[in-house]
Amino acid sequence: MKFWLNLISGAFFTPALWAAPAPLNQELAYRLVESLTVEVGPRIAGSEADRRAVQWAVTNLRQLGYDKVWTEEFEMPGWTRGQAKLDVVSPFAQPFVLTSLGGSVGTPVDGITAAVVMFDSIEALEKADSAAVKGKIVFINKPMTKDKSGSFYGQVVAARSRGAVEAAKLGAVAIVIRSVGTSNNRFAHTGTMKYDETITKIPAVAISVPDAQNLAKMLKLSPKVELKLQMDNQLQKASSHNVIAEITGTEKPDEIVLISGHLDSWDQGTGALDDGAGVALAMATGALIKQKATPKRTIRVVLYGNEEGGLLGARAYAAKHHNELAKHVLAAESDFGAGPIWQIESRFGDKALPFAKELQQKLAHLNIALGGNTTYGGPDVSVLAQAGVPVVALSQDGTDYFDYHHTPNDTLDKIDPDSLKQNLQAWLIMTETVANSSVNLRH
Amino acid sequence: MKFWLNLISGAFFTPALWAAPAPLNQELAYRLVESLTVEVGPRIAGSEADRRAVQWAVTNLRQLGYDKVWTEEFEMPGWTRGQAKLDVVSPFAQPFVLTSLGGSVGTPVDGITAAVVMFDSIEALEKADSAAVKGKIVFINKPMTKDKSGSFYGQVVAARSRGAVEAAKLGAVAIVIRSVGTSNNRFAHTGTMKYDETITKIPAVAISVPDAQNLAKMLKLSPKVELKLQMDNQLQKASSHNVIAEITGTEKPDEIVLISGHLDSWDQGTGALDDGAGVALAMATGALIKQKATPKRTIRVVLYGNEEGGLLGARAYAAKHHNELAKHVLAAESDFGAGPIWQIESRFGDKALPFAKELQQKLAHLNIALGGNTTYGGPDVSVLAQAGVPVVALSQDGTDYFDYHHTPNDTLDKIDPDSLKQNLQAWLIMTETVANSSVNLRH
C-alpha cells in the first residue's frame, strides 16, 4: 500500500487482483495485451480506469524485472462521455448509431433539433456561404480509403479535429461527421476534436458509415431532413501519468534507448490495437532483452498517458526530460495496431544511414524492408523527433487498422498472436542492436 | 386520408413523404429494400415505426400495380426496449456491449448485482445443482459455427429462447448469453425469448462475442466476477398488421400462390437482411409478373407482421384464412438474407415431385440445385406447411447471415445488389411457373 502512495503523488490506489506474471517467452507481448484488456479494459485518460491501468503497468513492469519503475503525473483537461442520442425527426424517423467526438461539449437537456446540410469534405464546408449553414446541423460525408500505411487518415481526419470550428464560424448549431474509418460495420469512430476559444463551441459527433450512407440517401429524397441531437458530456480538470521503466545499461547508463506505446485508450473498445499492443511490445522488449543480458545502454520504456487527447503525456515527458533529451540515443513507438511489420523507417543523421541499413539486414528474415529517412516515428515520439531525437519506425501493415481504431470493436480478438510475435521479434532485434552499440544516430 | 382510415381499422396514419415509385425492372427488389430501410428503418412490431412500415407497404404495393391491397390487424403482446447497461463491478471493472433479448423484463431501478456462473451450454445449465446457481447471474457461453444453411443456429438459440426459464428454475437472478451469431464484431444479437408463467421472470440479455470471450477470461483469472445489470424494458398490449396484396388470376382466381416475407424487424438494425430483402423480393415478384402478363392463378403477397415475436402474424393469417387454406396451391417465403439462391427445396405430395425437378431445371442457369422434399419453407410459411399447404424454399447461401442477423449491423450496405437480382430472377421463374400451371402439389 505504501508503495502506491509513494509512487504516484497524490493518488491512492486500492490494490487490485492482477493475474500471475506472464512468462518471459515469445508469447509475452500477447499475454500482456490480454492482461491489460481483460483486467483493465477501456482506460480513457484521467478516468478511474486510467489510474488502474497505471497501477497495472507499474505492477507488471516490476514483475518483469525492470530495474526502475516510476510514474510522472501531469495535469490535463479531462472529458467524460455522457449519454448521446441522434435521431432523424423527419421525414424518415429513425435513430442513428453515433459517438461523441472526444472533447465535445454536450447539448442543452432538450437537445438540438435542426435541418441538416451536407458537405463532401471540410474544404467544401469552408467554401460554403453562411446563409446555407446558419442554424443548421452540418454533416460532412467524406469516405476514407484503406491502405497499408493509413495514408488516407490525414485527408479525412480534419473534419473531426477542426470541423466544429469551421461549422460554427458559419453559424452551424452542431456538426455530424461520417466516421473516420474504413469499415462498413455499424460502429461510430470517436477521436479527439478541438475548439477555438474565440468561436462558439458546438457539439460534434460521428455517425457510423452505414448511417452516413443512409443520411445521404435521405437527403437525396427529401429537401429537408431534421435531426435531433442530445448529449451530456462533461469537461473537468484531471490528471494522468506517464509510466516509465528502465533496464539500466551496464556501460553507458546515461545513454537512453527509448521504446514506447501509449497506455490510455478511448473508452469505447478495450484498447487492444490502440494501443494495448504497443504497450505490450515495449514492456516485453525490455524484459526479454534483460533476461538474455543487460545491454550496454539504458533501455527506457515509456508508456505515455493521454496520447488520445493530443499527445499530452508525450509533451509532458519532453518538457520534464528536456535536459536529458541530448542523451536520448533513439526513440521509437508502436502505435498502429498489431499487423505484421513490413518496413523499417528512420530519421537519422546522414552519417548514421548505414546503421539503418544494418538494422534492416538484421530484420530481413522477418520480411522487413528498408524505408526512407523521413519518419517521425509515431504520434508520441514525434514530439521527441521534433526536439532532435533520432527515431525509428517499425511500420506495421495497417490495412485493417482503421476498421477497428477508436470504435467499440477494438478488442483483443482483433489481434493475431502470430503477427504480434513477429512484431516482438523485430522490436527485440532493433532495440538490442541499438542498446548494445555505440552508434551516434544524430545529425 | 380516408383511404388509411378505411384500410386499417382503428389506426390513423399521417401521410408520409415516400419516394417516387420504383421502376419495374430487375433493380426493383433492391430499390424497394433501399426505400424501406431509408424511409422507415427499424420497425419492431407494435411500434409507431411498424405502423409506418405498414403504410409504406400499402402505398408501394398499390403503386406497383397490385389489384388488391389490404391489411389485417391482430392483437399481440407489445414490448419496448429501454436503456440497458451491463458492467463488470469487480474485480475487472469495465462495461460490456449488450442487448436485451426481446420480451425480457427489466431490472429494479438500482439494477441487479451478483456473481456470475458460467455454463458451456443450456444443457450444462440444466444439469447444474441449484446451489451453484442460486442468487447468481447465469452466463451461457456457447459459440456458433458458420455454414451455408445456418444449421448451427438451432443448436445455440435454445439458450436465448428458454435460458431465462431454465436459469430461474435453479434460482438465478438474471441470465447473460453469448450472442447467437457468427461474427467477432462487437455487436450483441437480440432475438425473442420466452417465459413460463409458473416460473419467476428474470431479465435476459446477450453480450457480444468479444465480451463473452472477455468474461470467460475473467472467470479463469478470478474465482468471483460480479456483474451489475440495469435495464428498463416495458411490456404492454399492442397490435400489428399483416399486409396483403394480390394479382388476381385470370383463369383460377380462387387458387392462391402465396409468396411472402415479414415486414417487422428488430429495432437495432434497419432490417435490411431480416427481412427487408424478403419483403422486397415478394413485392417485386408479383409486380414484375403482372407487368409481363397476368397469371392464371392468383399471386398473393403476404408481408407478415411480428415474425420476430414468434410468428404472430403468420398464426393470425392462418387462423383468419383457415377456410381458404385448401385453395393455397403453394406458399413460399424469403427470410434468410440476400445471399445467392443455391438450392430449391420442396414439401410436395409424392406425385408432384417431378414438378419440383421441373422447377429446378428452369432455375439451373442461376446455379440452383435440387434439394430435398422436407422443407418447411421458412419461418412464417412453416405455419401453413403444418396446415398442409405445399411449400417451396429458394434456399439462400446464409454463410454470413448470422454475422449481421438481429444486430445493429443489419443495414442496407450488407446486401449485394447482384445477389438480390439473382434472387429476384429465381422468384420470378418459380412463382410464374406455378401461377401459370394447373399442377396439384398436395399429398
Side-chain angles (χ1 to χ4, degrees), chain B residues 240-252:
Chain B
S240 189
H241 301 81
N242 293 323
V243 180
I244 306 177
E246 281 187 359
I247 307 293
T248 310
T250 51
E251 293 184 11
K252 296 169 182 170

Side-chain angles (χ1 to χ4, degrees), chain A residues 316-381:
Chain A
Y317 178 88
K320 191 174 178 79
H321 294 268
H322 179 71
N323 293 333
E324 202 186 22
L325 293 188
K327 286 291 194 176
H328 280 54
V329 172
L330 178 76
E333 179 174 28
S334 173
D335 184 22
F336 196 49
I341 294 170
W342 64 280
Q343 183 172 261
I344 178 169
E345 296 175 273
S346 59
R347 190 177 191 87
F348 293 168
D350 288 345
K351 287 185 190 159
L353 283 178
F355 190 76
K357 181 70 188 160
E358 190 184 324
L359 284 175
Q360 184 270 328
Q361 284 168 345
K362 292 189 178 202
L363 297 166
H365 69 287
L366 297 170
N367 293 317
I368 298 173
L370 184 62
N373 195 44
T374 58
T375 185
Y376 277 89
D380 294 296
V381 298

Side-chain angles (χ1 to χ4, degrees), chain A residues 34 38 185-186 217 408-409, chain B residues 34 94 185-186 217 408-409:
Chain A
E34 179 182 50
V38 172
N185 285 320
R186 201 177 179 202
K217 284 177 190 286
N409 211 15
Chain B
E34 180 183 49
Q94 56 181 290
N185 285 321
R186 201 177 180 200
K217 284 177 190 286
N409 212 16

Side-chain angles (χ1 to χ4, degrees), chain B residues 117-300:
Chain B
V117 55
M118 182 172 82
F119 296 96
D120 290 340
S121 64
I122 192 166
E123 293 77 16
L125 168 66
E126 285 166 337
K127 287 178 198 146
D129 188 340
S130 69
V133 173
K134 199 171 161 61
K136 292 189 178 154
I137 295 174
V138 161
F139 168 44
I140 299 183
N141 186 28
K142 189 173 169 78
M144 180 175 164
T145 306
K146 274 190 181 209
D147 75 340
K148 207 170 179 175
S149 58
S151 61
F152 294 92
Y153 186 64
Q155 294 175 25
V156 181
V157 78
R160 192 187 79 206
S161 48
R162 58 191 184 80
V165 170
E166 297 305 325
K169 277 183 191 169
L170 298 171
V173 292
I175 181 167
V176 174
I177 65 163
R178 178 180 173 128
S179 281
V180 179
T182 50
S183 166
N184 263 22
N185 285 321
R186 201 177 180 200
F187 296 110
H189 298 231
T190 192
T192 196
M193 54 79 65
K194 290 204 163 35
Y195 290 117
D196 178 330
E197 291 301 323
T198 68
I199 309 286
T200 308
K201 296 180 179 179
I202 61 172
V205 303
I207 55 176
S208 80
V209 169
D211 289 279
Q213 291 170 335
N214 198 351
L215 180 52
K217 284 177 190 286
M218 289 179 184
L219 288 163
K220 270 199 179 171
L221 292 175
S222 172
K224 185 175 178 185
V225 175
E226 273 198 332
L227 297 181
K228 179 176 184 180
L229 175 65
Q230 288 177 286
M231 189 159 75
D232 59 359
N233 303 328
Q234 299 296 328
L235 298 155
Q236 67 281 327
K237 285 195 173 181
S239 70
S240 189
H241 301 81
N242 293 323
V243 180
I244 306 177
E246 281 187 359
I247 307 293
T248 310
T250 51
E251 293 184 11
K252 296 169 182 170
D254 60 332
E255 294 191 4
I256 294 163
V257 179
L258 185 153
I259 56 177
S260 60
H262 66 83
L263 189 55
D264 68 308
S265 77
W266 281 108
D267 50 339
Q268 300 202 113
T270 62
L273 293 167
D274 187 14
D275 183 28
V279 162
L281 285 166
M283 290 171 75
T285 297
L288 292 175
I289 290 174
K290 186 184 176 187
Q291 183 194 30
K292 198 169 147 196
T294 302
K296 294 175 183 170
R297 287 165 160 169
T298 288
I299 295 174
R300 180 179 286 181

Side-chain angles (χ1 to χ4, degrees), chain B residues 285-369:
Chain B
T285 297
L288 292 175
I289 290 174
K290 186 184 176 187
Q291 183 194 30
K292 198 169 147 196
T294 302
K296 294 175 183 170
R297 287 165 160 169
T298 288
I299 295 174
R300 180 179 286 181
V301 169
V302 182
L303 309 180
Y304 297 102
N306 206 351
E307 186 269 349
E308 298 294 0
L311 314 181
L312 301 189
R315 294 185 210 287
Y317 177 89
K320 191 173 178 81
H321 295 268
H322 180 70
N323 293 333
E324 200 184 23
L325 293 189
K327 285 291 197 180
H328 282 54
V329 172
L330 178 75
E333 179 175 27
S334 173
D335 183 24
F336 197 49
I341 294 169
W342 63 282
Q343 183 172 260
I344 178 169
E345 296 176 274
S346 60
R347 191 176 189 88
F348 292 169
D350 288 346
K351 287 185 190 161
L353 284 179
F355 190 76
K357 181 72 189 159
E358 190 183 324
L359 284 176
Q360 183 269 326
Q361 284 168 344
K362 293 190 178 204
L363 297 167
H365 69 288
L366 297 170
N367 292 317
I368 298 173

